[in-house]
Amino acid sequence: MPAAPQFQSEFLKTFTARGAYYDCSAPADLDALFGRERVTAYIGFDCTADSLHIGHMIQLMTLRRLQQAGHKPILLMGGGTTKVGDPSGKDETRQLLTPSQIEDNKQKILASIRHLLKFGDGPSDAIMVDNAEWLDRLEYIPFLREVGRHFSVNRMLTMDSVKLRLEREQPLSFLEFNYSIMQAYDFVELYKRYGCRLQSSGSDQWGNIVSGIDLGRRMENAQLFALTTPLITTASGAKMGKTAAGAV
Amino acid sequence: MGRFLRLFTDMPEAEIVRLEKLQGAELNEAKKTLATEATAILHGREAAVQAAETARKAFEEGVSAEGLPTITAKLPDGILNLAVASGLAVSNSEARKLIANNGLKLNDAAVSDPRLIVDTYALNSDGVLKLSSGKKRHVLVKPA
């Protein structure tokens, strides 16, 4: 884990003091941004299940602390990306969910977090956005020409999510191969629609977030940021899973 | 302990520093605080207080408490069937092993005989049975 920089801004100081800091793409620039203006930031959840686990809770607490410091959190629900399916950390293709299952999961997730954030129209009220809004309507050829040309397949083949499947000779469908492009595109779309500058997530999403930062620079000449949180482990340092024993 | 209090609650640093110094039985107080504070953020203060009270009753008083998972079953029934129906064991053979290890309790008393037939006489004053596996898993059985 990289050592946390000495931050000056209220949000990043709190974020670090609460043990949530893992890594940041440009710490000094992000710190200055937080000190200067109200920052719009997002985290994304796919709608693969109808409830969240402790790993999601860290991300939600990040949004909560953003809001407490007067910034604007966006909760991005992956109604569109869930139709594609994240290949990261999975040896097999995820089972495809139907649109009604996805919608049902989304509603249940939203209901479960309504106490955690204040949603509304105020300047630092949280908003919920569903990436199906833009992903569902993409046109193939224009998308390839405007977005696809910025992605290097050579580089995509080195991403963990892809590399592991290839090394193990497990099938990876073209559908899944597109997942990280969709996530990168989400970041740029949120920048265009809401001026969103920051994506926060668990440390395992670093590669996908950086793809979004690159795309933002190429398409919009914007400086976007990544801020990641550590993986939750037990007191002894092992990964905390639903089936692994371990005391807090 | 302090790590999780910092991550998952809004509690001030000074209070967290105090709680993370606790040792032994007092450490349970810190854990309860963590559970209640994190639950309050997710479900609201009222629900958190209610859940904390349910947990206190179930774990500390040893009485059956509102809010525990509940199933209904037709009595009389064999203890193995009830253990499986309540989800405390996945199969009769697992239920048998649980009993052999003194791990299955009926109204807080260990069950020793896998052939035990449970009838309505075993209902407690609330009119339910409390089945437990170990110290932490409890299910209430209501007569159908």
Side-chain angles (χ1 to χ4, degrees):
Chain A
M1 187 187 304
Q6 287 294 320
F7 290 118
Q8 301 300 316
S9 61
E10 187 200 337
F11 168 71
L12 284 173
K13 269 200 289 196
T14 307
F15 184 77
T16 307
R18 301 304 290 206
Y21 184 89
Y22 183 83
D23 205 356
C24 175
S25 57
D29 290 355
L30 184 61
D31 196 28
L33 185 72
F34 270 117
R36 199 166 59 229
E37 57 188 73
R38 173 175 291 124
V39 177
T40 303
Y42 91 98
I43 59 168
F45 291 141
D46 272 355
C47 313
T48 42
D50 62 7
S51 63
L52 301 173
H53 59 69
I54 195 83
H56 298 120
M57 178 84 175
I58 289 209
Q59 311 311 325
L60 290 167
M61 290 303 288
T62 301
L63 291 189
R64 183 178 170 88
R65 298 201 206 286
L66 275 163
Q67 184 163 61
Q68 286 167 343
H71 301 285
K72 187 165 188 75
I74 297 179
L75 178 67
L76 178 69
M77 299 302 290
T81 32
T82 306
K83 292 177 190 160
V84 174
D86 184 3
S88 323
K90 297 270 165 192
D91 226 4
E92 288 172 10
T93 302
R94 287 172 185 272
Q95 198 186 344
L96 279 182
L97 300 178
T98 64
S100 72
Q101 282 172 320
I102 292 172
E103 182 59 28
D104 187 51
N105 288 343
K106 179 176 127 184
Q107 293 307 331
K108 285 184 176 146
I109 291 173
L110 284 176
S112 73
I113 63 167
R114 64 184 196 282
H115 292 284
L116 210 137
L117 291 168
K118 181 179 173 289
F119 288 86
D121 302 321
S124 64
D125 284 349
I127 53 171
M128 191 283 288
V129 190
D130 186 337
N131 62 14
E133 269 180 47
W134 52 86
L135 294 180
D136 276 4
R137 290 191 308 225
L138 288 176
E139 292 180 80
Y140 196 57
I141 301 291
F143 184 75
L144 288 180
R145 286 175 61 96
E146 285 160 32
V147 179
R149 70 191 173 97
H150 296 300
F151 284 84
S152 150
V153 171
N154 311 48
R155 192 177 154 271
M156 287 175 72
L157 291 177
T158 67
M159 293 180 79
D160 276 345
S161 54
V162 174
K163 198 173 65 180
L164 288 175
R165 290 270 185 96
L166 295 181
E167 278 171 4
R168 294 169 192 235
E169 299 188 355
Q170 293 291 327
L172 176 77
S173 70
F174 184 65
L175 176 75
E176 299 170 275
F177 186 59
N178 278 267
Y179 186 88
S180 75
I181 300 183
M182 302 282 133
Q183 187 174 340
Y185 183 72
D186 281 346
F187 200 168
V188 177
E189 193 66 28
L190 289 172
Y191 169 73
K192 288 203 286 195
R193 291 180 179 221
Y194 303 101
C196 179
R197 300 290 298 276
L198 171 66
Q199 180 178 179
S200 183
S201 191
S203 55
D204 57 331
Q205 290 294 316
W206 182 260
N208 284 336
I209 304 179
V210 168
S211 290
I213 293 177
D214 286 346
L215 188 64
R217 195 183 58 246
R218 288 162 194 265
M219 288 181 72
E220 300 293 322
N221 198 23
Q223 187 185 16
L224 305 180
F225 296 92
L227 180 65
T228 56
T229 56
L231 219 59
I232 293 288
T233 53
T234 62
S236 61
K239 184 182 173 194
M240 190 184 281
K242 285 190 279 297
T243 49
V248 170
Chain B
M1 199 60 225
R3 179 163 178 239
F4 291 102
L5 286 166
R6 283 186 188 88
L7 279 172
F8 298 122
T9 76
D10 291 334
M11 292 173 71
E13 180 65 19
E15 181 63 9
I16 294 175
V17 169
R18 187 186 73 78
L19 286 172
E20 68 187 340
K21 284 190 192 129
L22 299 178
Q23 292 295 327
E26 283 184 338
L27 186 59
N28 277 339
E29 290 308 313
K31 288 181 180 175
K32 277 186 234 166
T33 304
L34 170 61
T36 306
E37 292 304 310
T39 306
I41 285 177
L42 269 175
H43 300 287
R45 178 62 55 183
E46 202 179 312
V49 170
Q50 169 68 39
E53 182 56 17
T54 298
R56 195 186 62 77
K57 276 189 182 165
F59 297 130
E60 290 170 27
E61 291 181 9
V63 299
S64 54
E66 300 260 332
L68 284 177
T70 305
I71 61 157
T72 52
K74 212 169 157 211
L75 300 178
D77 199 354
I79 189 72
L80 297 179
N81 278 346
L82 289 173
V84 173
S86 62
L88 294 176
V90 295
S91 61
N92 281 355
S93 66
E94 195 190 293
R96 241 182 236 110
K97 273 184 216 146
L98 195 60
I99 292 170
N101 295 327
N102 284 323
L104 186 70
K105 292 191 194 115
L106 175 62
N107 297 331
D108 301 310
V111 175
S112 55
D113 183 358
R115 288 164 305 182
L116 178 72
I117 301 295
V118 182
D119 206 344
T120 46
Y121 63 81
L123 298 175
N124 67 17
S125 52
D126 293 332
V128 295
L129 304 165
K130 183 174 156 201
L131 272 183
S132 316
S133 161
K135 282 183 188 160
K136 293 189 178 172
R137 295 178 64 200
H138 308 283
V139 177
L140 300 183
V141 181
K142 272 191 187 161

